[in-house]
Amino acid sequence: MKLRWFLSGTVRQAADMCTHVEKLINSQRDILSAQAIEATTSTTRQTRAAINSGEDDGKLRKRMDDLEKTAARWIKPYPNAEWRENIEVFLVAIVVAMAIRTFFLQPFKIPTGSMQPTLYGVTEKDFRFDPTFKMPGLLERIYDAAVRGIIYHCIVAPEDGQVDLTRLGPVQKVLFINKQTLWVLYNGQSEEVPVTVWLGPDEHLEHWAGLDMQPVFRKGEPIVCFEETTGDHLFVDRFTYNFRKPDRGEIIVFRTLGIEGIRDQDQFYIKRLIGLPGETVSIGEDRHARIDGRRLDASTPHFENLYGFDPTLLPRDSHYSGHVLEPRSLLATPANTIQIPQHAYLVFGDNTVNSLDSRYWGTVPEGNVIGKAFFIYWPITDRFGWGQR
């Protein structure tokens, strides 16, 4: 029987039909007559017996026809059966998706630049003062938005005028995108005119550097003209840490709930794990972390890029810059240390020039860790896939 099930499509169809009819009988047993239950049960039993006895496909199809006619005669039809089936499939799909998200892979969006250049948050590039910039055509803009996560914003002034920097409108969410209003005073007009700028779902004009650099413009010049690149979207592996503890250097995602010093207690952060339970961590003048006095370097797994910087360059001038001593932090000098309690971890952003991390608010409880960075699925750049380290 089991071998025939794999070899014969008719056998599989007959078995599925029997299962479906039995399900309907059980769900309607309280409203069906004894005669209806006996007739449908008997025909179902005969069909299953035919499957098990190895009847050829022709005879089995006849059994299926008999079962279909019997079920149609005695079983009460459900109203809107197609809708019910579609809704059932939809609900099952939701349950499966939620199970995958909860136990295996959870989508995550990089919110800030604290992990650059390993992982990127939203970035912008101002083109107002670039005479070589030319707005891409429609097809190229569609491609850039869909594949590379790049959205262009350009509004050209119809007349001479200036932006009122004191009257920048609030961010307003429209479906999945944001919009914000600039107020512009054109020469020769007595009242300011609103200019709407449409932005990505994670962006607002306060992020955009340079708006106050040149509030005055001439006819034909851009009022705003910039390129917005979305942050990395990745899957978080929620499965692995059920079987082992996090390793040093892995990029982990954790809840902020209960971590004193973090204002927003309802967020997920992503950082690189530096220190393990029971260790003492410090940062040297060379921008390398010390674990119980032992210096980490580029030979340490997961730190190849982070400690591959040119030590003669200032942190802000280096692609990777190691870990920076910050005067306002708990690790302001090489003499300062952080002792990690049991069941906790110490985490830093790769871009420690611009990262709010354990240097400021201490350790992450073990129970807050939900998983590790696994796979960047969008945008499709050099970091796509397992490009992050």
Side-chain angles (χ1 to χ4, degrees):
M1 160 57 186
K2 291 183 179 180
L3 183 59
R4 280 194 73 205
W5 190 91
F6 285 104
L7 298 177
S8 172
T10 304
V11 171
R12 292 195 294 272
Q13 291 174 12
D16 289 342
M17 181 179 286
C18 290
T19 300
H20 183 62
V21 172
E22 288 168 345
K23 178 181 177 182
L24 293 175
I25 293 171
N26 289 331
S27 64
Q28 296 185 15
R29 189 173 293 274
D30 58 334
I31 60 175
L32 293 177
S33 66
Q35 183 182 8
I37 294 174
E38 174 57 30
T40 49
T41 301
S42 175
T43 308
T44 305
R45 191 183 304 119
Q46 292 170 12
T47 305
R48 284 203 180 277
I51 295 172
N52 294 329
S53 65
E55 285 189 358
D56 61 59
D57 287 358
K59 292 182 179 179
L60 191 54
R61 278 192 287 269
K62 186 178 184 307
R63 296 280 189 184
M64 292 168 61
D65 290 340
D66 293 340
L67 179 57
E68 184 177 6
K69 291 176 183 178
T70 303
R73 178 183 178 186
W74 295 107
I75 295 178
K76 299 182 181 300
Y78 284 104
N80 303 314
E82 292 184 358
W83 279 101
R84 293 170 63 94
E85 185 174 344
N86 290 335
I87 291 173
E88 183 176 322
V89 170
F90 179 69
L91 292 176
V92 170
I94 290 178
V95 170
V96 171
M98 292 180 64
I100 292 174
R101 185 183 187 277
T102 302
F103 299 107
F104 297 97
L105 296 174
Q106 176 176 334
F108 184 81
K109 179 171 55 181
I110 302 300
T112 69
S114 68
M115 285 297 294
Q116 291 179 201
T118 308
L119 298 168
Y120 275 75
V122 178
T123 58
E124 307 88 10
K125 186 175 181 181
D126 187 5
F127 291 115
R128 286 176 303 157
F129 311 111
D130 182 356
T132 65
F133 173 75
K134 183 179 179 181
M135 176 67 77
L138 177 61
L139 292 180
E140 186 176 350
R141 295 203 304 272
I142 292 174
Y143 173 83
D144 282 346
V147 177
R148 301 169 60 201
I150 296 175
I151 304 172
Y152 298 93
H153 309 274
C154 192
I155 299 176
V156 177
E159 300 291 343
D160 297 355
Q162 65 181 38
V163 177
D164 184 351
L165 298 178
T166 67
R167 201 178 175 188
L168 185 63
V171 177
Q172 296 177 301
K173 188 167 290 293
V174 181
L175 297 179
F176 301 107
I177 58 177
N178 293 337
K179 73 173 184 177
Q180 205 163 0
T181 301
L182 295 173
W183 291 89
V184 177
L185 180 62
Y186 294 113
N187 291 355
Q189 296 186 8
S190 59
E191 294 186 359
E192 294 178 338
V193 177
V195 175
T196 299
V197 182
W198 293 93
L199 304 162
D202 306 307
E203 189 56 295
H204 49 87
L205 288 174
E206 286 87 345
H207 280 177
W208 176 38
L211 184 62
D212 58 345
M213 291 174 58
Q214 185 69 28
V216 179
F217 51 82
R218 300 186 68 83
K219 180 180 179 179
E221 293 181 345
I223 299 175
V224 294
C225 188
F226 65 100
E227 169 191 285
E228 171 194 344
T229 304
T230 187
D232 290 339
H233 290 60
L234 55 84
F235 287 120
V236 178
D237 173 5
R238 301 196 62 160
F239 187 70
T240 300
Y241 290 161
N242 291 316
F243 301 95
R244 70 166 175 84
K245 301 292 186 181
D247 289 335
R248 189 188 325 279
E250 290 182 331
I251 300 173
I252 66 172
V253 176
F254 56 93
R255 297 183 183 89
T256 60
L257 184 65
I259 300 179
E260 295 183 10
I262 297 182
R263 186 188 313 172
D264 194 338
Q265 291 283 294
D266 189 27
Q267 288 290 326
F268 292 98
Y269 276 14
I270 183 166
K271 305 290 181 185
R272 191 178 297 274
L273 194 156
I274 303 297
L276 302 173
E279 295 178 337
T280 301
V281 178
S282 62
I283 299 176
E285 292 284 2
D286 58 0
R287 295 180 246 159
H288 288 242
R290 266 76 172 169
I291 308 298
D292 295 333
R294 178 176 58 86
R295 178 179 181 269
L296 300 183
D297 57 29
S299 67
T300 308
H302 305 294
F303 290 87
E304 297 89 349
N305 290 333
L306 190 63
Y307 291 143
F309 62 91
D310 184 346
T312 64
L313 295 177
L314 295 174
R316 294 186 183 277
D317 297 330
S318 178
H319 193 59
Y320 280 98
S321 58
H323 295 121
V324 179
L325 290 165
E326 170 56 51
R328 298 168 298 168
S329 74
L330 301 173
L331 298 177
T333 72
N336 297 131
T337 62
I338 296 177
Q339 176 68 42
I340 307 173
Q342 294 300 319
H343 307 294
Y345 301 106
L346 199 77
V347 296
F348 292 162
D350 284 1
N351 180 17
T352 50
V353 175
N354 185 29
S355 174
L356 183 65
D357 51 37
S358 286
R359 295 170 302 160
Y360 297 90
W361 38 255
T363 57
V364 176
E366 183 179 73
N368 284 44
V369 178
I370 68 165
K372 64 174 183 172
F374 175 63
F375 186 95
I376 296 176
Y377 62 88
W378 190 73
I380 301 175
T381 65
D382 59 336
R383 295 184 304 281
F384 175 79
W386 289 275
Q388 83 283 358
R389 302 178 68 181

